[in-house]
Amino acid sequence: MSFLALLGMYILVILASAYLRTSVKTWTLATAVVLGLCIFLTDTSFWAALFIVILFAVPALFLNIKSIRQQYFTQHFLKFFRKALPQLSETERVALEAGTVHWDAELFSGKPNFKRLHAMKKPELTTEEKAFLDGPVQTLCEMLDEHEYNHVKGDMPKKVWDFMAKEKFFAMIVPKEYNGLGFSALAHSYVLQKVASRSAVAAATVAVPNSLGPAELLLHYGTEEQKNHYLPRLSAGKEIPCFGLTAPSAGSDATSIPDIGVVCKKTIDGKEVLGISLTFDKRYITLAPVATVVGLAFQMTDPDKILGDKAHLGITLALVPSDTPGMEIGRRHLPLDVLFMNGPVRGKDVFVPMDTIIGGEKMIGHGWRMLSEVLAIGRAISLPSSSTGGAKMVAYSTGAYARIRKQFNLPIGRFEGIEEALCRIAGKTYSCAAVSTMTAAAVDRGERPSVPSAIAKMHATDMARSIISDSMDIHGGKGIIMGPNNYLGRAWMGAPIWITVEGANILTRSLIIFGQGAIRCHPYVLKEMEAANLADQEESLKTFDHLLFKHMGYTFQNAVRSFFQGLGTWRLEPSPGDKFTKQFYSKITRYSASFGFASDVAMLSLGGSLKKRESTSARLGDVLSHLYMASAVLKRYLDQGQHSADQPVVAWAMHHHFYEIEQALKMLSYNFPNKAIGFMLRRVIFPLGTHELPPGDRLGHKVATLLLSPNETRDRLCDGIDTQVSKNHLVAKMNQVLAKVIDTEPLERRILKAQKSGEINAIDPVEQLNQALERDIINKSEFDILSEVRKLVSEVIAVDDFPHDAFDRTEAYQPKDDVKIAL
């Protein structure tokens, strides 16, 4: 055997071992056996054999004998690693430690174990939770009138507030032992979806008490006295809570809140009381205008060292009654004319006793950890669920409207331009529902999904914004004229609100998703950081060495797998899917390897500066996000029974996510700070170039068609929203009209044919029907049916008008006299 052939065989064994992810020992044994057989069974020259043996022996000894590599490599690299480590602030460290990982970690592995995905129990509601959705939630939906309280009254009627309190909408997460409902996160999510399908105002009102403010905090950290006092009162609706976190100068940078709590003593009723003097200025606080108890986050200080040696004690959380002297519940904000209760909370030198601190004195300074852990739960449910409910209602209404509304004697949904928007609405609604449910289910499994919750919040709200934008384009003038007949306008106006709150989407994408995921979900990085910081130097070197060489093998394996899968071997990857889904599972595996490799290259080459390379971090975050959402789509398809009729929507969603993944990786490589490394990334990940295409027109036509008529796929796509016909539910009524329009389409075609032949020459629609009846084109029964349906269609496409004085709202919304705006 020639030298080149022997060298090629050696390289082939290395690549095969890396692709198959074998251990070092397996690679060593396999290489020794293969090279030995080649040398002894073929006519190989002595010098060629010696060279290859040395080429094999050096790395083999290095990799297998720990003492050698620790002495000559690891200890030197450890010194470099410690210097290159990004300096994590205490708040960043707390945020990293706050969450748990599950499927998001699998996506970093380079070869996800789909058995773990399939092993996740199918999310299901209990009998009690289903009864609540069918009973009180349905009743609430029938009571809601978005136009009335947004345009006319500026608030939900008292009867709605009373009903929500009575039926414990504010206590869904409160355990039954405190007289709450004790519902699962899934039920919480489904309630929000259904309510949001009717009213964003009502959904926001329900979401806050069941999220951050403050039942979740009390359940996790409250003292027994605090739980026993507040939780039953929250359950009974005797308390309306809010939580004040955002300050004018500290929004997304919540750890820089300027609000201060000073430890002090005050004489009350002749007794000296230890407490805190609070000075704070909060804004954008949902439910603040009606709150009876206010949660506050503030920087706690002890300048007189009353509690100990430290002057600065850190972020602390307290629960303060709104009638506390000095507490000012400000006037209402007007968030884009979507009038949920929202406003500022202020106070100067507000004295509260120490027992107002959530968790008592032992939790002083632990506020950021408390918030980080609870936010991971609340962010996983509130906005993803509300956005999903809105998206489903938009899909349900827009499909119906596009079939009912005609132009050029053809339903507008049949035009290819409209189909493009309809298929985006359907596909993104499916993804939105999938990621929302999968993330809520993670909470029910006991996880604190910090990275998935950021993905779900950012992308669900972003997809919902895209969905409502496409729907507005389809509705045209119907969508822009506000009034009782407009079921889209408030959603369009409110979309930026959900993009902004609970972490602005731009910063969530740029800083959080990959910033947390790279360390939290990576199989080795966090462990290496911990090993590098061990006090025992010998143990530090030993542990770091073990992790480092596993990490190096992981990176090399991902590089090899990414390259060969880029050549097409991804099609050979084992997959748990059927004929339809196999390619999708395999592509997730292919891009997981590319993502793992690209992440390691970015972290190694950029080190601590990666924190400042927000565009690089954002693109890697996009890859992780779309891998997670693609997995959620497959899980939803599996859980719903893998109906073949749903396959066009599933395929559209999957092709969309893969296209976005490829675009993110491509732009990462072209814009990588080091151009040479970017070129290398591109050649490894895309050896044959980029080939992913967005969903095509033929697939889009199939998807759009599914929205245009009642069918089981449409029902599954829009499941969980309010579809019961009631007084103010125009969308449900419109879908009743849809069925009738479809039934009468053959008659309408008969009328159209008669017009084209000249049998009917009237222009007026009513006269057209009269002529058709007179000339036996239709009979009397058909005439009556068409007359009724045309009347109903006119009601569907109708828009509102108002008297000239209907818009005088100056009394209600004058700006505060002492507010000055500097220009």
Side-chain angles (χ1 to χ4, degrees):
M1 177 176 283
S2 69
F3 169 73
L4 290 178
L6 191 59
L7 180 62
M9 183 62 69
Y10 175 53
I11 294 173
L12 181 62
V13 174
I14 292 176
L15 295 177
S17 298
Y19 192 91
L20 297 173
R21 289 181 172 272
T22 65
S23 66
V24 171
K25 289 183 179 180
T26 302
W27 167 78
T28 305
L29 180 61
T31 306
V33 171
V34 170
L35 292 181
L37 290 173
C38 289
I39 291 170
F40 290 108
L41 298 181
T42 62
D43 185 19
T44 305
S45 71
F46 170 79
W47 294 110
L50 179 63
F51 183 84
I52 293 298
V53 167
I54 294 173
L55 195 63
F56 160 66
V58 171
L61 292 172
F62 187 77
L63 292 173
N64 285 279
I65 302 178
K66 296 179 181 179
S67 59
I68 295 177
R69 69 174 188 238
Q70 288 177 11
Q71 180 178 357
Y72 293 103
F73 178 78
T74 307
Q75 65 176 342
H76 302 292
F77 187 83
L78 179 55
K79 292 178 182 178
F80 164 78
F81 183 81
R82 285 170 175 159
K83 291 180 181 178
L85 269 179
Q87 294 300 311
L88 296 179
S89 66
E90 181 59 26
T91 54
E92 288 175 314
R93 190 177 302 279
V94 166
L96 284 173
E97 295 172 354
T100 59
V101 297
H102 191 254
W103 185 249
D104 43 333
E106 284 291 333
L107 296 173
F108 262 91
S109 71
K111 192 176 182 181
N113 181 1
F114 291 108
K115 290 181 179 178
R116 293 192 73 189
L117 182 69
H118 286 195
M120 296 177 192
K121 186 179 178 181
K122 177 183 176 181
E124 291 184 308
L125 300 172
T126 65
T127 302
E128 183 181 3
E129 290 167 344
K130 291 177 182 175
F132 187 76
L133 280 163
D134 294 338
V137 178
Q138 182 60 46
T139 301
L140 173 63
C141 288
E142 292 171 5
M143 297 171 71
L144 298 173
D145 186 336
E146 190 90 337
H147 171 74
E148 178 186 9
Y149 46 74
N150 271 301
H151 179 72
V152 181
K153 296 183 177 179
D155 187 17
M156 295 184 296
K158 184 177 183 299
K159 65 178 182 179
V160 174
W161 282 96
D162 291 344
F163 179 79
M164 288 194 292
K166 175 187 173 186
E167 297 297 334
K168 304 181 182 179
F169 277 83
F170 303 148
M172 289 189 292
I173 65 169
V174 176
K176 292 182 179 180
E177 63 187 280
Y178 298 106
N179 204 31
L181 293 176
F183 281 174
S184 64
L186 184 69
H188 179 189
S189 174
Y190 281 9
V191 169
L192 287 179
Q193 286 189 41
K194 189 164 186 174
V195 175
S197 73
R198 291 298 308 275
S199 167
V201 172
T205 304
V206 172
V208 168
N210 291 287
S211 181
L212 183 58
E216 193 82 59
L217 285 165
L218 287 170
L219 286 170
H220 284 81
Y221 311 106
T223 65
E224 288 304 312
E225 292 78 10
Q226 290 169 340
K227 292 178 184 178
N228 291 332
H229 175 75
Y230 279 113
L231 292 178
R233 293 176 64 80
L234 289 168
S235 298
K238 294 180 181 178
E239 301 281 7
I240 301 296
C242 70
F243 193 89
L245 176 60
T246 304
S249 60
S252 296
D253 185 13
T255 58
S256 297
I257 53 177
D259 309 291
I260 298 294
V262 181
V263 179
C264 61
K265 295 179 180 179
K266 185 175 183 180
T267 301
I268 300 177
D269 297 332
K271 294 183 179 180
E272 189 176 63
V273 178
L274 179 64
I276 315 160
S277 177
L278 294 166
T279 298
F280 53 91
D281 183 5
K282 306 289 189 180
R283 64 180 181 183
Y284 311 146
I285 311 304
T286 299
L287 295 189
V290 293
T292 62
V293 59
V294 180
L296 287 173
F298 56 91
Q299 301 279 1
M300 190 160 173
T301 64
D302 186 9
D304 296 330
K305 309 290 181 65
I306 296 173
L307 299 180
D309 297 333
K310 293 176 64 176
H312 180 71
L313 303 179
I315 295 176
T316 303
L317 311 181
L319 205 52
V320 183
S322 61
D323 58 2
T324 301
M327 171 80 76
E328 178 191 347
I329 302 294
R331 303 199 310 178
R332 289 178 65 179
H333 292 317
L334 183 60
L336 290 176
D337 226 24
V338 181
L339 297 182
F340 58 95
M341 286 292 174
N342 189 275
V345 179
R346 305 182 183 93
K348 183 173 177 58
D349 299 327
V350 178
F351 181 81
V352 296
M354 295 295 284
D355 62 9
T356 59
I357 295 174
I358 297 176
E361 291 188 36
K362 67 179 182 181
M363 298 308 294
I364 291 173
H366 294 287
W368 182 238
R369 179 179 297 276
M370 297 160 68
L371 288 171
S372 296
E373 292 181 348
V374 172
L375 280 170
I377 297 172
R379 192 187 282 127
I381 300 170
S382 300
L383 288 175
S385 303
S386 299
S387 297
T388 297
K392 287 179 177 179
M393 185 56 75
V394 169
Y396 193 65
S397 61
T398 307
Y401 185 82
R403 184 69 175 267
I404 293 169
R405 181 73 162 126
K406 291 183 178 180
Q407 294 285 277
F408 309 106
N409 294 312
L410 191 68
I412 61 173
R414 300 299 189 194
F415 291 94
E416 289 187 357
I418 302 295
E419 282 187 346
E420 287 183 11
L422 285 173
C423 67
R424 288 195 297 266
I425 290 172
K428 290 183 179 181
T429 297
Y430 196 98
S431 290
C432 204
V435 73
S436 175
T437 299
M438 183 161 151
T439 311
V443 174
D444 283 330
R445 291 195 301 271
E447 296 176 36
R448 299 188 303 277
S450 55
V451 175
S453 69
I455 292 171
K457 185 273 170 183
M458 183 212 147
H459 286 278
T461 56
D462 196 60
M463 286 188 288
R465 173 169 59 178
S466 171
I467 289 165
I468 186 63
S469 178
D470 277 327
S471 180
M472 289 291 288
D473 284 352
I474 292 172
H475 279 75
K478 171 73 174 177
I480 64 173
I481 303 300
M482 297 300 292
N485 282 301
N486 190 322
Y487 43 83
L488 288 179
R490 296 290 172 187
W492 167 257
M493 295 166 70
I497 300 174
W498 324 129
I499 296 294
T500 300
V501 299
E502 287 194 12
N505 278 9
I506 286 179
L507 292 184
T508 300
R509 175 177 178 260
S510 300
L511 298 176
I512 296 177
I513 293 176
F514 185 75
Q516 282 193 340
I519 298 176
R520 195 78 187 92
C521 304
H522 194 284
Y524 301 110
V525 170
L526 184 57
K527 296 175 184 177
E528 287 170 334
M529 293 171 66
E530 292 169 347
N533 289 315
L534 289 175
D536 186 329
Q537 294 301 305
E538 185 177 343
E539 182 63 25
S540 175
L541 177 62
K542 179 181 176 182
T543 306
F544 184 80
D545 173 78
H546 173 74
L547 293 168
L548 174 63
F549 278 84
K550 278 187 170 293
H551 189 166
M552 291 172 65
Y554 158 86
T555 303
F556 181 64
Q557 289 166 355
N558 279 339
V560 171
R561 289 177 60 80
S562 181
F563 178 80
F564 282 100
Q565 288 178 352
L567 294 175
T569 63
W570 64 268
R571 294 179 176 85
L572 305 177
E573 283 293 317
S575 166
D578 56 18
K579 184 178 180 181
F580 169 65
T581 58
K582 181 183 185 305
Q583 61 168 321
F584 301 138
Y585 285 104
S586 297
K587 276 198 174 182
I588 289 176
T589 299
R590 179 256 194 277
Y591 285 120
S592 174
S594 298
F595 171 64
F597 176 62
S599 297
D600 275 341
V601 169
M603 287 188 283
L604 180 63
S605 64
L606 299 176
S609 69
L610 181 57
K611 289 172 61 177
K612 299 178 181 179
R613 302 282 187 175
E614 294 176 20
S615 294
T616 299
S617 179
R619 291 181 179 114
L620 288 166
D622 289 345
V623 180
L624 177 59
S625 296
H626 285 282
L627 282 170
Y628 182 79
M629 289 188 287
S631 303
V633 167
L634 291 176
K635 185 67 167 66
R636 178 175 173 83
Y637 176 67
L638 177 69
D639 288 342
Q640 288 192 324
Q642 303 184 88
H643 298 280
S644 59
D646 298 353
Q647 290 179 1
V649 186
V650 174
W652 193 99
M654 296 303 291
H655 287 304
H656 167 71
H657 291 308
F658 292 139
Y659 176 73
E660 293 297 328
I661 289 169
E662 186 182 80
Q663 290 301 301
L665 287 170
K666 182 173 75 172
M667 296 308 294
L668 171 74
S669 69
Y670 276 110
N671 292 279
F672 203 81
N674 185 306
K675 295 299 181 184
I677 293 177
F679 178 80
M680 179 273 296
L681 273 176
R682 197 156 56 252
R683 296 282 67 83
V684 171
I685 296 173
F686 304 117
L688 298 180
T690 55
H691 299 286
E692 296 287 355
L693 295 173
D697 293 347
R698 185 176 300 178
L699 178 60
H701 171 74
K702 292 179 182 178
V703 174
T705 300
L706 289 170
L707 276 188
L708 295 174
S709 62
N711 56 74
E712 291 184 355
T713 294
R714 189 171 182 261
D715 292 341
R716 282 188 289 271
L717 178 68
C718 303
D719 63 348
I721 63 173
D722 177 23
T723 58
Q724 296 294 316
V725 175
S726 58
K727 177 183 177 183
N728 301 314
H729 197 359
L730 299 176
V731 173
K733 293 178 182 177
M734 182 168 65
N735 275 273
Q736 275 193 336
V737 175
L738 171 64
K740 295 180 179 181
V741 165
I742 292 172
D743 289 341
T744 56
E745 281 179 347
L747 297 179
E748 291 287 6
R749 285 195 291 270
R750 199 187 305 170
I751 298 289
L752 181 60
K753 184 178 179 180
Q755 286 179 285
K756 290 181 177 179
S757 67
E759 291 182 81
I760 295 176
N761 54 24
I763 297 175
D764 179 70
V766 175
E767 186 57 32
Q768 287 175 359
L769 291 185
N770 288 331
Q771 286 186 4
L773 180 62
E774 292 169 1
R775 296 165 188 178
D776 293 326
I777 296 169
I778 55 175
N779 59 37
K780 183 61 170 66
S781 175
E782 292 168 335
F783 173 87
D784 292 339
I785 292 172
L786 278 173
S787 297
E788 177 197 4
V789 171
R790 286 190 173 189
K791 179 183 177 183
L792 292 172
V793 169
S794 295
E795 293 173 359
V796 166
I797 66 175
V799 296
D800 301 285
D801 51 59
F802 302 90
H804 293 289
D805 60 355
F807 306 107
D808 185 2
R809 295 157 79 177
T810 55
E811 287 291 326
Y813 300 110
Q814 286 182 347
K816 208 169 184 180
D817 293 337
D818 60 352
V819 174
K820 305 293 184 182
I821 300 177
L823 298 178

